[in-house]
Amino acid sequence: MDKETIDKNLRELRERATKFLTVAPEQAEITVEEAKKLIHELHTYQIELELQNEDLRNTQEELEQSRRRYADLYDFAPVAYFTISDKGLIVEANLTAGTMLGVARGHLLSQRFSNIIVSEDQDVFYLHRKKLLETGQEQSFELRLQKREGSLFYAQLEMILYSDGSDPPGQLRMSVYNVTIRKEAELAALLQMKNRYRAIVMDQTELICRFDPEGRMTFVNDAYCRYFGVDFKDILGTNYLPNIHADDLPLVRNHFTTLTPDQPERIIEHRVYLPDGKLRWQQWSGRGLFDQQGRLIEYQAVGRDITQLKVAEERLQKESRLRQLFLDALPCIAMLLTYNTRLIVASNKAAAAVGAIPGHRCYTGWMQRESPCPWCLAPKSGAESQAQNGQFWAHGRYWDAFWIPVDEEFYLHYLFDITEKQKDKEALRKAYDELEQRVMERTLELQQSHAQLLHSEKLSAVGNLSASIAHEFNNPLQSVMTIIKGISQYATLDKNEQELVALALQECNRMKNLIADLQDFFRPTSGKPGPVDLHSAIDALLLLCKKDFHNRKITIVRKYGANLPHITAVADQLKQVFLNLLNNAADACAGRGIITLSTETAGEKYIVVRVQDNGEGISSANMKRLFEPFFTTKPEMKGTGLGLPVSYGIVKKHGGRIEVRSEPGKGSIFSVFLPIESAIESEIDEQ
């Protein structure tokens, strides 16, 4: 039976016995069988109790043996164990702790654990103990402990919180390991490494120095001392700063203040004066050394003299600038390239504008090709070490290109855009061909013009003859009109005869007006301006053209503006203009059509006369040449090509203009704008 069952049975038996004993004697009635049974049960439980007592004695002995074994393990363990109270006092310590510290264990109890810690390391213990109490996480760290006789040793501590619910809370248990041997080995290795590092650093040609956050020198190598002409004994612990160029001081001061744990290193270049007064260039790589908490511990700087490099760079930059100035001065696309890769080393602005940028291959950056251009003569230039020249089309332009060797590695490539020159050359050739054609055409036109001139002279002779005939007709006509007037005044006529006489007189007047108009038209121009009634001038022309228009079945429509003012002009010159326009309109109608004449004022300064026909119209190609001398679309002997140019000159001389609107198949409109006060008057006065 297990202990729990035995305890339960004992409780039940005790309850029965208690109940039996509490019953009054007079009420206690028990049989013999019950008494025997009760005695048997009591005897049985007595035996069980004796067995339990035996087990308890055995267990107690085993516990005592375990306690002795634990005490031996605790006291004689190779690790020192401490129990520290919430006040930092040593509550428990094993024998190893006393042996490790060189004191009896009893002397440790009730002392502060911090008393055996080296004063410089007490903050380490304090911070880890605080973190343990705050987080409950096990802490492991190293520090130095002091023995009773004063010697020191390195110890590794591991701390955990007391897990048995100590009262008051805050007690902790701590294991202490003596790691002096390991630490001394590490320090020896570190010292050896330090000596090796120092030897390496001291033998370096670079300048090396270290200084604390306050700027005090903590280390300099021999190269540093030799370069600046100083002794390390004189500058260690001081805020030594070389004689830096005044313009570079802000750069140097800002250099180290910007170092952070995320960006602990930077490189700068600055100038410095040496003790002999020479100015030198230096390059420094500065690094900030930070602890695990990101706090700055120290600065380290490694420098070297780059004066020669700077001089070379300046010389190279100067040569590069001169080369660039030379390239930019060329009035073309110019590039410096390598023979083997066709890589652009330098290019001028004109080349960069078309995509020939340094760092790209010429055929990829500019020509946008995957392989060298087929017309490229760079290989031939390099093989023969002679300049090459060629022309080609690319990007819609025509180029005159040169490949000129510079040395075995580089060549100069420059190109002239001769597209316009080529176009001009082709245009010149085309113009020459056209000129020959036009000379032939003009020769033919001159022959035709000669024939037309002969015809014009005939017309002029006819005009002079007509004027003479009109003059000769005018005298007899005046006599006839006088006789008819005398008959009408002195003869006795009946009504019908009077009407016939009146009709005869009317026809004579018409003939007189016709002869006057004919004389006005063929009379040589005086060139003197005067007041002109445009409606009267146009009507006179229409009277002369009436029969011709009737024969050609052309209808004249007048749309005159009301109250049209007179203008100042040379009347017979304007008649010549309108006669040319009427003849052209009649020819455009091809024997049948409508010519509309309209007049109106255009603002306050001009009067416009429009001659509109519904003829065949003018093509866009011919519109550009309307006013060219000798240009005509009429057949031979029909026109000279001088009518419109002469008309244009007359109108322009009067200070006006001619506008044309036409659409093939729908006719044309010629609008003549004439100033009311003509500019021709002032020109004549000046002459």
Side-chain angles (χ1 to χ4, degrees):
M1 296 176 67
D2 56 11
K3 185 175 181 301
E4 184 178 355
T5 304
I6 295 173
D7 292 341
K8 182 179 179 182
N9 293 336
L10 285 173
R11 283 196 301 272
E12 292 178 353
L13 181 62
R14 189 180 298 107
E15 289 175 357
R16 289 171 57 194
T18 303
K19 183 178 180 181
F20 177 77
L21 293 174
T22 55
V23 177
E26 59 274 9
Q27 297 178 350
E29 295 180 2
I30 184 171
T31 63
V32 176
E33 293 296 330
E34 290 178 346
K36 290 180 178 180
K37 183 178 180 180
L38 181 60
I39 293 170
H40 177 71
E41 291 178 354
L42 290 173
H43 183 68
T44 300
Y45 284 120
Q46 183 179 2
I47 294 172
E48 291 177 351
L49 288 173
E50 290 177 356
L51 292 174
Q52 278 186 335
N53 289 334
E54 183 66 23
D55 290 339
L56 288 173
R57 283 192 296 273
N58 293 336
T59 300
Q60 185 176 4
E61 185 177 352
E62 290 176 356
L63 288 174
E64 183 63 24
Q65 292 177 356
S66 297
R67 188 189 66 78
R68 286 195 298 270
R69 286 197 299 271
Y70 170 76
D72 291 341
L73 290 173
Y74 179 77
D75 285 334
F76 299 105
V79 179
Y81 294 113
F82 292 90
T83 300
I84 308 299
S85 70
D86 60 324
K87 304 296 185 181
L89 303 177
I90 300 175
V91 178
E92 292 181 1
N94 64 351
L95 292 175
T96 304
T99 303
M100 184 179 294
L101 295 172
V103 295
R105 177 171 57 179
H107 287 82
L108 295 174
L109 301 180
S110 299
Q111 290 190 25
R112 288 190 172 278
F113 185 78
S114 58
N115 292 342
I116 62 176
I117 301 174
V118 176
S119 59
E120 291 84 354
D121 296 349
Q122 289 186 3
D123 288 343
V124 178
F125 175 76
Y126 170 77
L127 293 174
H128 281 282
R129 180 170 177 268
K130 181 181 179 182
K131 188 174 182 180
L132 174 65
L133 296 175
E134 291 176 351
T135 64
Q137 296 178 355
E138 179 181 353
Q139 301 293 309
S140 179
F141 54 96
E142 293 182 359
L143 47 70
R144 291 171 296 173
L145 299 180
Q146 187 173 8
K147 293 184 178 182
R148 185 172 185 180
E149 76 277 8
S151 62
L152 307 179
F153 67 93
Y154 288 92
Q156 179 178 342
L157 280 65
E158 295 180 356
M159 295 191 304
I160 60 174
L161 284 175
Y162 202 96
S163 59
D164 293 341
S166 62
D167 186 22
Q171 291 188 6
L172 55 91
R173 288 181 175 176
M174 182 168 54
S175 302
V176 179
Y177 302 87
N178 189 335
V179 294
T180 302
I181 297 176
R182 175 175 63 82
K183 200 70 175 178
E184 288 177 350
E186 290 178 355
L187 291 174
L190 184 62
L191 180 61
Q192 184 180 3
M193 186 181 298
K194 181 179 179 181
N195 292 334
R196 187 182 301 114
Y197 168 77
R198 182 177 180 83
I200 293 173
V201 169
M202 285 299 182
D203 294 338
Q204 286 291 323
T205 56
E206 281 82 3
L207 317 180
I208 302 175
C209 65
R210 300 180 74 167
F211 48 93
D212 59 21
E214 285 73 30
R216 293 186 295 266
M217 286 287 185
T218 59
F219 171 82
V220 291
N221 68 345
D222 292 341
Y224 186 97
C225 295
R226 289 194 302 271
Y227 187 87
F228 289 108
V230 295
D231 192 320
F232 73 94
K233 297 179 181 178
D234 297 332
I235 63 174
L236 290 181
T238 67
N239 293 86
Y240 175 77
L241 189 65
N243 190 10
I244 298 171
H245 194 284
D247 293 342
D248 297 342
L249 272 174
L251 174 68
V252 176
R253 289 169 179 164
N254 185 61
H255 171 63
F256 290 100
T257 58
T258 56
L259 299 179
T260 63
D262 295 330
Q263 189 178 1
E265 184 177 8
R266 282 187 61 193
I267 297 176
I268 62 168
E269 296 177 357
H270 66 82
R271 292 160 293 178
V272 64
Y273 289 100
L274 297 185
D276 57 5
K278 294 182 180 179
L279 183 66
R280 309 289 290 179
W281 274 96
Q282 293 180 333
Q283 182 187 75
W284 286 92
S285 175
R287 174 178 289 275
L289 306 178
F290 300 87
D291 61 15
Q292 295 181 349
Q293 285 73 36
R295 291 174 298 189
L296 179 64
I297 300 175
E298 200 172 26
Y299 291 113
Q300 177 175 288
V302 179
R304 60 193 181 101
D305 190 298
I306 58 170
T307 306
Q308 293 183 355
L309 180 61
K310 279 293 184 179
V311 171
E313 285 182 356
E314 291 178 1
R315 183 169 59 251
L316 184 61
Q317 290 176 359
K318 184 178 180 180
E319 293 175 355
S320 178
R321 287 194 297 269
L322 291 175
R323 181 181 62 198
Q324 192 65 46
L325 288 173
F326 169 73
L327 292 176
D328 289 338
L330 293 175
C332 60
I333 293 175
M335 296 170 280
L336 183 67
L337 305 98
T338 58
Y339 274 116
N340 56 347
T341 62
R342 313 288 171 84
L343 192 68
I344 301 173
V345 178
S347 62
N348 63 358
K349 295 178 181 178
V354 296
I357 303 172
H360 293 77
R361 289 179 172 84
C362 59
Y363 57 84
T364 59
W366 176 29
M367 291 299 176
Q368 299 179 358
R369 297 172 58 90
E370 295 181 357
S371 58
C373 306
W375 55 79
C376 182
L377 299 179
K380 186 177 180 180
S381 170
E384 299 179 1
S385 297
Q386 291 183 356
Q388 303 294 327
N389 174 242
Q391 291 80 35
F392 57 88
W393 281 95
H395 293 298
R397 312 295 294 176
Y398 196 66
W399 303 96
D400 186 17
F402 293 84
W403 293 262
I404 301 177
V406 176
D407 53 28
E408 295 181 355
E409 183 179 0
F410 299 101
Y411 68 95
L412 182 64
H413 182 38
Y414 59 90
L415 309 94
F416 293 91
D417 185 352
I418 59 172
T419 308
E420 298 303 324
K421 182 178 179 181
Q422 188 71 12
K423 288 181 178 179
D424 292 342
K425 188 176 179 180
E426 294 176 358
L428 184 61
R429 185 183 302 109
K430 183 178 179 182
Y432 179 76
D433 295 339
E434 290 180 353
L435 182 59
E436 286 189 340
Q437 181 66 26
R438 292 186 67 181
V439 166
M440 294 176 60
E441 294 175 354
R442 287 299 185 220
T443 302
L444 182 60
E445 288 177 359
L446 287 174
Q447 293 174 354
Q448 295 173 353
S449 298
H450 181 67
Q452 292 172 355
L453 183 59
L454 293 176
H455 181 66
S456 298
E457 289 178 353
K458 292 178 182 179
L459 290 177
S460 177
V462 170
N464 294 330
L465 180 61
S466 299
S468 299
I469 293 173
H471 178 71
E472 294 298 329
F473 279 2
N474 192 45
N475 292 331
L477 182 61
Q478 290 292 336
S479 300
V480 172
M481 290 178 65
T482 302
I483 294 171
I484 293 174
K485 289 180 180 179
I487 293 173
S488 66
Q489 291 178 358
Y490 302 108
T492 302
L493 303 174
D494 57 18
K495 183 177 181 181
N496 292 331
E497 291 173 344
Q498 290 179 356
E499 291 177 355
L500 290 173
V501 171
L503 181 60
L505 186 60
Q506 180 180 350
E507 289 300 317
C508 287
N509 283 324
R510 191 165 70 85
M511 289 180 64
K512 178 183 177 182
N513 292 333
L514 182 59
I515 290 170
D517 291 338
L518 189 62
Q519 289 176 331
D520 289 341
F521 183 76
F522 287 106
R523 183 181 296 116
T525 176
S526 65
K528 293 182 179 181
V532 177
D533 184 353
L534 289 176
H535 291 168
S536 299
I538 295 172
D539 288 341
L541 292 175
L542 292 176
L543 181 60
L544 292 174
C545 302
K546 181 177 181 181
K547 184 172 180 59
D548 181 47
F549 288 169
H550 177 73
N551 293 336
R552 297 168 71 172
K553 298 179 181 180
I554 294 174
T555 303
I556 301 296
V557 177
R558 296 179 178 91
K559 294 183 179 179
Y560 292 164
N563 300 323
L564 198 70
H566 291 186
I567 67 172
T568 302
V570 181
D572 51 357
Q573 291 182 1
L574 292 186
K575 288 179 181 179
Q576 183 179 353
V577 172
F578 296 134
L579 182 60
N580 284 331
L581 295 179
L582 286 170
N583 287 334
N584 289 342
D587 292 338
C589 291
R592 179 185 295 273
I594 300 174
I595 298 176
T596 303
L597 291 164
S598 61
T599 61
E600 62 180 351
T601 56
E604 298 179 356
K605 296 183 178 181
Y606 289 92
I607 290 177
V608 58
V609 179
R610 290 187 175 89
V611 180
Q612 179 178 359
D613 65 74
N614 60 347
E616 59 185 8
I618 306 171
S619 67
S620 57
N622 291 334
M623 283 284 288
K624 300 177 181 178
R625 306 183 62 189
L626 279 180
F627 298 102
E628 288 184 11
F630 302 107
F631 173 75
T632 180
T633 59
K634 297 177 182 180
E636 186 179 358
M637 302 301 296
K638 188 69 176 176
T640 63
L642 295 173
L644 282 177
V646 171
S647 299
Y648 178 81
I650 292 172
V651 174
K652 186 176 181 182
K653 188 174 181 182
H654 279 75
R657 67 181 186 276
I658 299 178
E659 295 181 357
V660 185
R661 287 187 300 163
S662 183
E663 186 175 352
K666 294 186 179 181
S668 306
I669 301 176
F670 283 78
S671 301
V672 181
F673 289 81
L674 295 168
I676 298 175
E677 296 294 334
S678 176
I680 195 172
E681 187 173 11
S682 60
E683 293 180 3
I684 293 174
D685 293 341
E686 290 175 1
Q687 294 175 357

